[in-house]
Amino acid sequence: MSASDGLNARKRGILLVLCGAIFLEGIDVAMLNVALPAIRADLGLPTGELQWVMSAYVLGYGGFMLLGGRAADLFGRRRMFVFWLAVFLLFSGLGGIATEGWMLIAARFVTGVAAAFMTPAGLSVITTSFAEGPERNKALLVYSGTAAGGFTVGLVTGGLLTAVDWRWVFFAPVALSFLILVAALVFVPESARPDRSGKHVDTAGALTVTAALVLIVLGVERAAHAGAAVSVGTLLAGVAFLVAFLVIERRSADPLVRLDVFRNGSLVRANLSAMLFSAGFFGFQFLVVLYLQELRGWSALQTSFAMLVIGIDAILSPTLTPRLVDRFGNAKVILGGLLLAVLSYGLFLPVGADWSYAVMFPSLIALGLAFSLAYGPLTIVATEGVPEEEQGLAGGLLYTAFQFGAALGLSAVTAVSAAATRAQTPAALLDGYRAGLLVPFVAAALAAAVSAFGLRFRRGGAPPAAVKAVAGHMGSPVSH
């Protein structure tokens, strides 16, 4: 963004640092995704345990995100961002020296916890440093575009590094984390010390919601190989913890999540759509990587370049998406993105054992377009109209939805694919992949239905006051 966009040097510096952090997250996840088959071969991990290398990160991320958002509001956004960035740096490096599957999974879980505190702190720095309206919307779309850029770079870098040794996929983020840490100390200003009188960290709420998310994902993942009774029992335990969390939040004088926030219909729809979209996005990528490398015999580098087209969102998110939002509003742009995701997954459902890249290309390019249209506007809607002192909470809810959806999608595609794979022959593996691909398709269709309901609701009634205020600040309305 240039000076003509109305940003002074301080704001550009802040945005640069925070975009660096979200770029780090994108590159970290993308590199690991490409490296999974190499990790499986080296450490001897079955598919169920392999998906936990990804799921451990997103569960740590999603499980502690609400606490991370609350901590940013209570203890200072800069302090939380810098401290947990240092933790991210340390445990990313530890993941690279793991010699057993459980060691790698544990390191990824703690790295995810660090991201859970770091990301909402960073997002709330943006939402409190940039005025609500055009300035903040532009900053958030650049921010989301940078995350997409990290994913794109991570695909290529992950293939290159895995070709040398998969451990470099964990060592590379250490150097980038260090540079961002130094820049954060220089550019991100100290905010006023929050008034914590009479306030406390809702530890009981944090523990119960984390236990709920972990058990629900575990119950889904175990469905294919642990028997119905065990799976249902685990799911019920997760639901019980979720109910306990809601009871604790309702009775707490200083809750982790103020339940009244769920009266904001746009926020609820944005979070539900984000969860379902993320479930499909991560589940689809997981299966495509296994299909290309383990069934087709493609190298990690070939897989990286094959999936690189998804990264078109890095170009479109900060360029095309803002124009579409200005013209059509967030709701229509989000719905368009989700419908493109449905199209993408639907095109890949009949995948064959010898598909050429030209046949795969329409599905992959449609997914890149879907991400560019959905991700940024969902971020805007989920934080729009929320009071400044609760921006950490709003960011925490959104990223909890994204990460819980990712973990749920990974577990669901693993369970369905494993259940449909009757043998380790190429034909049986292909049957498993086809069955698993139904999960992203259904998730995207549900996300589109939720988003369409919001669009229908908006046409049927007056827009909320917060949206009117935003529209009043802009030459053309941006609303959801």
Side-chain angles (χ1 to χ4, degrees):
M1 300 177 76
S2 66
S4 63
D5 293 316
L7 298 186
N8 57 33
R10 181 185 68 83
K11 287 186 177 181
R12 288 198 297 273
I14 292 171
L15 189 57
L16 176 66
V17 171
L18 299 174
C19 283
I22 202 68
F23 179 87
L24 172 67
E25 180 202 334
I27 197 172
D28 179 79
V29 171
M31 288 194 302
L32 178 58
N33 193 42
V34 174
L36 286 175
I39 293 172
R40 183 218 287 270
D42 191 24
L43 300 183
L45 305 180
T47 301
E49 190 173 354
L50 183 68
Q51 68 92 14
W52 278 103
V53 174
M54 289 286 287
S55 291
Y57 175 84
V58 295
L59 274 176
Y61 200 156
F64 286 86
M65 182 64 73
L66 293 175
L67 181 59
R70 183 61 174 158
D73 291 335
L74 289 179
F75 299 108
R77 298 175 178 100
R78 181 183 188 270
R79 182 179 304 164
M80 289 291 99
F81 179 79
V82 168
F83 175 79
W84 287 101
L85 178 57
V87 176
F88 186 100
L89 182 158
L90 174 63
F91 278 87
S92 183
L94 290 176
I97 62 175
T99 57
E100 301 286 343
W102 68 266
M103 295 171 63
L104 180 55
I105 290 170
R108 291 303 293 168
F109 180 77
V110 178
T111 306
V113 172
F117 283 84
M118 179 178 75
T119 304
L123 180 61
S124 62
V125 169
I126 290 180
T127 55
T128 55
S129 298
F130 297 84
E132 185 170 353
E135 184 181 83
R136 184 189 294 178
N137 289 347
K138 289 178 181 178
L140 287 173
L141 289 170
V142 169
Y143 183 70
S144 61
T146 306
F151 176 80
T152 303
V153 173
L155 285 174
V156 177
T157 307
L160 291 170
L161 294 176
T162 302
V164 178
D165 191 326
W166 64 263
R167 296 181 186 278
W168 283 103
V169 166
F170 296 93
F171 295 145
V174 172
L176 182 57
S177 300
F178 180 77
L179 293 175
I180 297 169
L181 183 60
V182 173
L185 294 172
V186 173
F187 290 108
V188 180
E190 287 279 7
S191 55
R193 191 175 184 86
D195 180 12
R196 299 200 301 270
S197 56
K199 298 180 180 179
H200 68 283
V201 175
D202 183 8
T203 306
L207 292 176
T208 51
V209 72
T210 301
L213 299 184
V214 170
L215 287 170
I216 290 171
V217 170
L218 183 61
V220 173
E221 187 273 328
R222 298 179 76 181
H225 55 79
V230 173
S231 180
V232 170
T234 306
L235 286 170
L236 289 176
V239 172
F241 272 107
L242 186 59
V243 172
F245 167 71
L246 294 175
V247 171
I248 290 169
E249 298 309 283
R250 182 173 294 278
R251 295 181 177 179
S252 175
D254 193 23
L256 187 66
V257 178
R258 182 176 59 82
L259 298 183
D260 286 351
V261 76
F262 294 114
R263 294 179 180 176
N264 183 331
S266 293
L267 180 146
V268 171
R269 285 189 294 274
N271 279 275
L272 281 174
S273 297
M275 181 186 73
L276 291 164
F277 178 68
S278 182
F281 189 78
F282 277 83
F284 178 78
Q285 289 182 82
F286 180 75
L287 287 178
V288 171
V289 167
L290 294 182
Y291 163 73
L292 291 177
Q293 294 193 41
E294 299 192 338
L295 183 64
R296 302 295 302 278
W298 290 23
S299 69
L301 190 57
Q302 286 175 311
T303 302
S304 296
F305 282 111
M307 298 185 70
L308 184 60
V309 65
I310 299 176
I312 193 174
D313 60 323
I315 299 171
L316 298 180
S317 290
T319 55
L320 176 64
T321 304
R323 296 179 182 180
L324 294 176
V325 166
D326 283 345
R327 179 163 183 175
F328 300 107
N330 285 313
K332 291 179 181 177
V333 174
I334 290 170
L335 178 59
L338 296 175
L339 290 174
L340 278 171
V342 175
L343 174 65
S344 169
Y345 305 143
L347 289 173
F348 216 90
L349 284 176
V351 60
D354 56 353
W355 265 19
S356 67
Y357 184 64
V359 179
M360 302 178 213
F361 184 83
S363 176
L364 299 178
I365 189 72
L367 184 56
L369 292 169
F371 194 93
S372 67
L373 295 182
Y375 184 79
L378 282 171
T379 305
I380 293 172
V381 173
T383 57
E384 201 171 59
V386 177
E388 180 173 325
E389 64 273 13
E390 291 189 330
Q391 281 294 328
L393 168 61
L397 284 171
L398 175 65
Y399 283 101
T400 296
F402 273 126
Q403 299 306 321
F404 177 59
L408 202 58
L410 286 164
S411 295
V413 298
T414 299
V416 173
S417 181
T421 303
R422 303 299 181 186
Q424 292 302 306
T425 63
L429 288 173
L430 186 60
D431 288 341
Y433 295 146
R434 285 173 175 165
L437 286 167
L438 286 169
V439 174
F441 179 78
V442 171
L446 289 173
V450 170
S451 183
F453 177 81
L455 187 62
R456 176 173 170 270
F457 177 81
R458 174 59 48 82
R459 282 201 299 263
V467 177
K468 290 181 180 177
V470 173
H473 284 126
M474 303 186 65
S476 56
V478 177
S479 61
H480 177 65

PDB file of all heavy atoms in Angstrom, residues 114-126:
ATOM      1  N   ALA A 114       1.331 -21.585  20.086  1.00  0.00           N
ATOM      2  CA  ALA A 114       2.003 -20.293  19.928  1.00  0.00           C
ATOM      3  C   ALA A 114       1.300 -19.439  18.882  1.00  0.00           C
ATOM      4  O   ALA A 114       1.075 -18.231  19.081  1.00  0.00           O
ATOM      5  CB  ALA A 114       3.464 -20.514  19.539  1.00  0.00           C
ATOM      6  N   ALA A 115       0.925 -20.056  17.764  1.00  0.00           N
ATOM      7  CA  ALA A 115       0.205 -19.328  16.719  1.00  0.00           C
ATOM      8  C   ALA A 115      -1.152 -18.852  17.230  1.00  0.00           C
ATOM      9  O   ALA A 115      -1.641 -17.790  16.826  1.00  0.00           O
ATOM     10  CB  ALA A 115       0.020 -20.218  15.490  1.00  0.00           C
ATOM     11  N   ALA A 116      -1.758 -19.625  18.144  1.00  0.00           N
ATOM     12  CA  ALA A 116      -3.073 -19.267  18.694  1.00  0.00           C
ATOM     13  C   ALA A 116      -3.016 -17.978  19.501  1.00  0.00           C
ATOM     14  O   ALA A 116      -4.000 -17.238  19.569  1.00  0.00           O
ATOM     15  CB  ALA A 116      -3.595 -20.406  19.577  1.00  0.00           C
ATOM     16  N   PHE A 117      -1.894 -17.706  20.137  1.00  0.00           N
ATOM     17  CA  PHE A 117      -1.744 -16.458  20.877  1.00  0.00           C
ATOM     18  C   PHE A 117      -1.221 -15.340  19.973  1.00  0.00           C
ATOM     19  O   PHE A 117      -1.582 -14.173  20.144  1.00  0.00           O
ATOM     20  CB  PHE A 117      -0.789 -16.663  22.059  1.00  0.00           C
ATOM     21  CG  PHE A 117      -1.409 -17.378  23.219  1.00  0.00           C
ATOM     22  CD1 PHE A 117      -1.471 -18.763  23.250  1.00  0.00           C
ATOM     23  CD2 PHE A 117      -1.945 -16.673  24.286  1.00  0.00           C
ATOM     24  CE1 PHE A 117      -2.052 -19.434  24.320  1.00  0.00           C
ATOM     25  CE2 PHE A 117      -2.530 -17.331  25.357  1.00  0.00           C
ATOM     26  CZ  PHE A 117      -2.588 -18.712  25.376  1.00  0.00           C
ATOM     27  N   MET A 118      -0.369 -15.698  19.039  1.00  0.00           N
ATOM     28  CA  MET A 118       0.275 -14.708  18.178  1.00  0.00           C
ATOM     29  C   MET A 118      -0.693 -14.107  17.161  1.00  0.00           C
ATOM     30  O   MET A 118      -0.732 -12.885  16.957  1.00  0.00           O
ATOM     31  CB  MET A 118       1.438 -15.381  17.450  1.00  0.00           C
ATOM     32  CG  MET A 118       2.212 -14.509  16.499  1.00  0.00           C
ATOM     33  SD  MET A 118       3.586 -15.430  15.753  1.00  0.00           S
ATOM     34  CE  MET A 118       2.705 -16.480  14.572  1.00  0.00           C
ATOM     35  N   THR A 119      -1.507 -14.936  16.517  1.00  0.00           N
ATOM     36  CA  THR A 119      -2.324 -14.470  15.398  1.00  0.00           C
ATOM     37  C   THR A 119      -3.444 -13.515  15.809  1.00  0.00           C
ATOM     38  O   THR A 119      -3.601 -12.457  15.193  1.00  0.00           O
ATOM     39  CB  THR A 119      -2.897 -15.666  14.617  1.00  0.00           C
ATOM     40  OG1 THR A 119      -1.809 -16.495  14.188  1.00  0.00           O
ATOM     41  CG2 THR A 119      -3.669 -15.195  13.398  1.00  0.00           C
ATOM     42  N   PRO A 120      -4.262 -13.839  16.834  1.00  0.00           N
ATOM     43  CA  PRO A 120      -5.296 -12.853  17.190  1.00  0.00           C
ATOM     44  C   PRO A 120      -4.704 -11.558  17.729  1.00  0.00           C
ATOM     45  O   PRO A 120      -5.290 -10.487  17.549  1.00  0.00           O
ATOM     46  CB  PRO A 120      -6.130 -13.579  18.254  1.00  0.00           C
ATOM     47  CG  PRO A 120      -5.246 -14.642  18.781  1.00  0.00           C
ATOM     48  CD  PRO A 120      -4.366 -15.053  17.644  1.00  0.00           C
ATOM     49  N   ALA A 121      -3.529 -11.652  18.376  1.00  0.00           N
ATOM     50  CA  ALA A 121      -2.869 -10.430  18.831  1.00  0.00           C
ATOM     51  C   ALA A 121      -2.498  -9.577  17.625  1.00  0.00           C
ATOM     52  O   ALA A 121      -2.717  -8.359  17.607  1.00  0.00           O
ATOM     53  CB  ALA A 121      -1.626 -10.772  19.648  1.00  0.00           C
ATOM     54  N   GLY A 122      -1.943 -10.218  16.584  1.00  0.00           N
ATOM     55  CA  GLY A 122      -1.581  -9.485  15.382  1.00  0.00           C
ATOM     56  C   GLY A 122      -2.784  -8.919  14.656  1.00  0.00           C
ATOM     57  O   GLY A 122      -2.781  -7.761  14.220  1.00  0.00           O
ATOM     58  N   LEU A 123      -3.844  -9.725  14.540  1.00  0.00           N
ATOM     59  CA  LEU A 123      -5.049  -9.250  13.866  1.00  0.00           C
ATOM     60  C   LEU A 123      -5.666  -8.079  14.619  1.00  0.00           C
ATOM     61  O   LEU A 123      -6.110  -7.098  14.022  1.00  0.00           O
ATOM     62  CB  LEU A 123      -6.069 -10.394  13.740  1.00  0.00           C
ATOM     63  CG  LEU A 123      -7.392 -10.039  13.054  1.00  0.00           C
ATOM     64  CD1 LEU A 123      -7.158  -9.565  11.622  1.00  0.00           C
ATOM     65  CD2 LEU A 123      -8.334 -11.240  13.061  1.00  0.00           C
ATOM     66  N   SER A 124      -5.668  -8.139  15.953  1.00  0.00           N
ATOM     67  CA  SER A 124      -6.263  -7.055  16.732  1.00  0.00           C
ATOM     68  C   SER A 124      -5.401  -5.796  16.684  1.00  0.00           C
ATOM     69  O   SER A 124      -5.914  -4.690  16.833  1.00  0.00           O
ATOM     70  CB  SER A 124      -6.497  -7.489  18.185  1.00  0.00           C
ATOM     71  OG  SER A 124      -5.282  -7.814  18.833  1.00  0.00           O
ATOM     72  N   VAL A 125      -4.079  -5.942  16.465  1.00  0.00           N
ATOM     73  CA  VAL A 125      -3.238  -4.763  16.244  1.00  0.00           C
ATOM     74  C   VAL A 125      -3.689  -4.038  14.978  1.00  0.00           C
ATOM     75  O   VAL A 125      -3.786  -2.806  14.933  1.00  0.00           O
ATOM     76  CB  VAL A 125      -1.742  -5.147  16.143  1.00  0.00           C
ATOM     77  CG1 VAL A 125      -0.917  -3.961  15.647  1.00  0.00           C
ATOM     78  CG2 VAL A 125      -1.208  -5.602  17.496  1.00  0.00           C
ATOM     79  N   ILE A 126      -3.998  -4.822  13.924  1.00  0.00           N
ATOM     80  CA  ILE A 126      -4.477  -4.206  12.680  1.00  0.00           C
ATOM     81  C   ILE A 126      -5.825  -3.537  12.890  1.00  0.00           C
ATOM     82  O   ILE A 126      -6.038  -2.375  12.515  1.00  0.00           O
ATOM     83  CB  ILE A 126      -4.586  -5.262  11.560  1.00  0.00           C
ATOM     84  CG1 ILE A 126      -3.194  -5.720  11.113  1.00  0.00           C
ATOM     85  CG2 ILE A 126      -5.352  -4.699  10.357  1.00  0.00           C
ATOM     86  CD1 ILE A 126      -3.212  -6.750  10.006  1.00  0.00           C
TER      87      ILE A 126
END
